């Protein structure tokens, strides 16, 4: 059994009490000026390590909160519920607790003490993905104050230019029945993925609101499936909007209303040299927002990519360029059921044309 997290609420409270005094004045580090200590702390970045430093003494606690860069990675720890349809509801903190556990909620409360932080990177394991034993699916999202476009791609296999499978089973033959079953399974997961992203998006908006000095912020999936990130003029625009928005507006659910999806047996990627087989691909967009592909290559919403991630970006661009005509287009109907106790649930239905 893994040891309890430093961010366990009871443990954190006890450690805060134990650190109420001052560090030993005879220690070498205590004789350093605050500016030097801050330079050292600014190189630590990890939130858990900063928490330990924060608990050393009152002097350290005041210096720690001045750091300008933080990174934090956390799995889903002891969530209260396992309903994959749970989305942001009336209480943001309740949503965090239910989806990511009390330990993460405690870490989040500590995080927003850092009012001067400029760079923030959070990695989370999305709750809707815990039961999925596959690293093959990836997603990208175009957003600012609301999610405008969501792209989901899940191949059965990914092979390099020498024919060696990086992921999946490239030699697997598929029957029509198997293709149909996988298509349905992947489509359902794409909706679960989107609902996880809705929760992450609300979290990002609250972080922008609570941390006024942010210059760049990223919330990504621990399995490297996708990320939400903001910087530059996009972040400035979101800051301006959230600072004038009420809590009701921040929690408002905006969902895509158009679904385009298709199945592609084999896709060769000339630039990266990879080959994908058995691809399920979908785009979900807002009806009143005209989609564009430029965000796929944007560093603000895409970040730096390794070779495999670049292959996925290339695959999306190839599909949009050469296979867009084979996509089935459907309207989406969403039902927000707020009678399911304290957690609202979002249900979807695909409408036939």
């Amino acid at each position: 059994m893994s040891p309890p997290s430093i961010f366990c609420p009871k443990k954190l409270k006890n450690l805060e009490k134990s650190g109420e005094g001052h560090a030993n004045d005879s220690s070498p580090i205590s004789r350093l000026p605050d500016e030097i200590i801050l330079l050292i702390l600014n190189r630590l970045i990890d939130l858990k390590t900063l928490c330990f430093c924060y608990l050393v003494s009152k002097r350290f606690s005041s210096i720690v909160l001045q750091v300008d860069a933080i990174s934090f990675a956390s799995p889903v720890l002891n969530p209260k519920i396992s309903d994959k349809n749970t989305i942001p509801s009336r209480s943001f903190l309740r949503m965090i607790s239910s989806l990511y556990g009390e330990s993460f909620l405690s870490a989040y409360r500590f995080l927003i003490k850092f009012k001067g932080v400029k760079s923030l990177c959070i990695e989370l394991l999305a709750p809707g993905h815990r039961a999925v034993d596959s690293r093959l699916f990836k997603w990208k999202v175009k957003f600012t104050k609301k999610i405008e476009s969501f792209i989901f791609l899940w191949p059965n296999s990914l092979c390099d230019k020498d024919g060696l499978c990086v992921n999946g089973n490239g030699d697997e033959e598929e029957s029509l029945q198997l293709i149909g079953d996988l298509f349905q399974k992947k489509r359902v997961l794409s909706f679960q993925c989107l609902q996880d992203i809705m929760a992450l998006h609300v979290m990002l908006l609250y972080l922008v609101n609570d941390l006024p000095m942010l210059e760049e912020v990223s919330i990504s999936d621990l399995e490297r499936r996708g990320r939400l990130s903001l910087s530059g003029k996009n972040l400035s625009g979101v800051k301006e909007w959230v600072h004038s928005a009420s809590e009701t507006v921040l929690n408002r659910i905006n969902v895509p209303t158009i679904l385009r999806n298709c199945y592609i047996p084999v896709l060769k990627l000339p630039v990266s040299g990879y080959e994908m087989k058995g691809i399920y691909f979908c785009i979900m967009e807002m009806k009143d927002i005209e989609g564009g592909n430029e965000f796929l290559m944007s560093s603000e919403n895409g970040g730096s990519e390794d070779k495999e991630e670049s292959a996925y970006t290339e695959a999306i661009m190839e599909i949009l360029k050469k296979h867009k005509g084979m996509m089935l287009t459907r309207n989406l109907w969403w039902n927000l059921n707020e009678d399911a106790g304290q957690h609202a649930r979002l249900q979807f239905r695909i409408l036939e044309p």
Side-chain angles (χ1 to χ4, degrees), residues 227-286:
R227 64 174 66 83
L228 287 85
S229 58
L230 282 174
S231 61
K233 63 180 181 180
N234 284 343
L235 177 55
S236 298
V238 172
K239 274 186 180 181
E240 185 177 344
W241 178 78
V242 298
H243 291 159
S244 63
S246 65
E247 185 171 359
T248 301
V249 172
L250 285 178
N251 285 329
R252 182 174 296 160
I253 307 301
N254 294 291
V255 293
T257 53
I258 295 177
L259 167 68
R260 297 183 178 92
N261 60 4
C262 65
Y263 171 81
I264 301 171
V266 180
L267 182 67
K268 294 183 182 295
L269 306 173
V271 176
S272 64
Y274 283 97
E275 179 182 85
M276 291 183 178
K277 293 183 179 180
I279 297 170
Y280 172 77
F281 178 81
C282 79
I283 303 176
M284 299 184 209
E285 296 177 298
M286 295 288 189

Side-chain angles (χ1 to χ4, degrees), residues 41-158:
L41 293 174
N42 263 325
R43 293 181 175 272
L44 297 179
I45 297 179
D46 177 63
L47 183 66
K48 184 175 180 179
T49 305
L50 291 171
C51 183
F52 280 117
C53 295
Y54 174 82
L55 298 170
V56 169
S57 67
K58 289 182 178 179
R59 181 191 177 204
F60 264 62
S61 67
S62 63
I63 301 173
V64 165
L65 295 181
Q66 299 175 48
V67 301
D68 57 18
I70 295 176
S71 178
F72 177 43
S74 173
V76 176
L77 297 173
N78 304 318
K80 293 180 180 177
I81 60 176
S82 59
D83 186 351
K84 295 176 183 178
N85 288 326
T86 300
I87 58 165
S89 59
R90 288 177 290 269
S91 169
F92 170 63
L93 294 181
R94 186 186 302 151
M95 180 272 287
I96 286 185
S97 175
S98 65
L99 291 181
Y100 303 106
E102 289 292 331
S103 180
F104 179 80
L105 175 59
S106 181
Y108 182 90
R109 284 172 167 156
F110 177 60
L111 173 63
I112 60 176
K113 292 176 181 282
F114 292 80
K115 300 302 182 184
V117 67
K118 296 178 181 178
S119 176
L120 175 62
C121 178
I122 299 175
E123 292 182 287
L124 288 170
L125 181 61
H129 301 164
R130 283 176 294 158
V132 181
D133 185 20
S134 175
R135 297 184 63 182
L136 278 166
F137 70 87
K138 306 276 188 184
W139 52 264
K140 288 181 178 285
V141 60
K142 179 182 180 181
F143 73 97
T144 49
K145 63 184 181 183
K146 62 182 177 180
I147 294 173
E148 300 172 8
S149 181
F150 167 73
I151 291 179
F152 180 91
L153 188 152
W154 187 354
N156 290 341
S157 64
L158 174 67

Side-chain angles (χ1 to χ4, degrees), residues 2 11 37 72 79 81 102 122 126 138 142 161 183 205 218 221 239 243 257 262 265 283 287 292 304 316 321 330 336:
S2 59
K11 185 175 182 181
I37 294 176
F72 177 43
I81 60 176
E102 289 292 331
I122 299 175
K138 306 276 188 184
K142 179 182 180 181
K161 61 184 178 181
F183 188 93
L205 294 179
S218 172
D221 185 273
K239 274 186 180 181
H243 291 159
T257 53
C262 65
I283 303 176
K287 195 170 187 177
S304 58
I316 293 171
K321 183 168 60 175
R330 297 287 187 269
L336 183 61

Side-chain angles (χ1 to χ4, degrees), residues 142 148-149 285-286 289-295 324:
K142 179 182 180 181
E148 300 172 8
S149 181
E285 296 177 298
M286 295 288 189
I289 296 175
E290 194 157 326
N293 303 332
E294 69 283 348
F295 80 98
K324 198 169 184 178

Side-chain angles (χ1 to χ4, degrees), residues 180-345:
D181 291 344
L182 283 174
F183 188 93
Q184 177 62 19
K185 173 186 175 182
K186 292 177 179 181
R187 184 167 67 180
V188 169
L189 185 78
S190 71
F191 281 94
Q192 293 173 355
C193 183
L194 176 59
Q195 292 178 60
D196 287 336
I197 291 167
M198 288 177 185
L200 295 180
H201 180 249
V202 173
M203 185 188 300
L204 185 145
L205 294 179
Y206 271 86
L207 286 168
V208 170
N209 188 54
D210 291 333
L211 302 173
M213 303 303 292
L214 274 178
E215 295 178 359
E216 57 180 0
V217 55
S218 172
I219 304 178
S220 59
D221 185 273
L222 269 172
E223 298 292 330
R224 302 180 67 85
R225 290 165 173 151
R227 64 174 66 83
L228 287 85
S229 58
L230 282 174
S231 61
K233 63 180 181 180
N234 284 343
L235 177 55
S236 298
V238 172
K239 274 186 180 181
E240 185 177 344
W241 178 78
V242 298
H243 291 159
S244 63
S246 65
E247 185 171 359
T248 301
V249 172
L250 285 178
N251 285 329
R252 182 174 296 160
I253 307 301
N254 294 291
V255 293
T257 53
I258 295 177
L259 167 68
R260 297 183 178 92
N261 60 4
C262 65
Y263 171 81
I264 301 171
V266 180
L267 182 67
K268 294 183 182 295
L269 306 173
V271 176
S272 64
Y274 283 97
E275 179 182 85
M276 291 183 178
K277 293 183 179 180
I279 297 170
Y280 172 77
F281 178 81
C282 79
I283 303 176
M284 299 184 209
E285 296 177 298
M286 295 288 189
K287 195 170 187 177
D288 59 340
I289 296 175
E290 194 157 326
N293 303 332
E294 69 283 348
F295 80 98
L296 297 174
M297 306 305 294
S298 167
S299 61
E300 288 188 354
N301 284 310
S304 58
E305 294 183 321
D306 60 24
K307 187 177 179 181
E308 188 175 312
E309 287 177 310
S310 296
Y312 273 82
T313 297
E314 183 187 357
I316 293 171
M317 300 298 288
E318 284 286 305
I319 293 170
L320 292 175
K321 183 168 60 175
K322 298 179 179 178
H323 299 272
K324 198 169 184 178
M326 65 183 292
M327 293 185 194
L328 295 175
T329 301
R330 297 287 187 269
N331 291 322
L332 297 175
W333 178 83
W334 299 82
N335 176 43
L336 183 61
N337 177 13
E338 298 191 84
D339 297 326
Q342 61 177 340
H343 304 287
R345 293 195 297 176

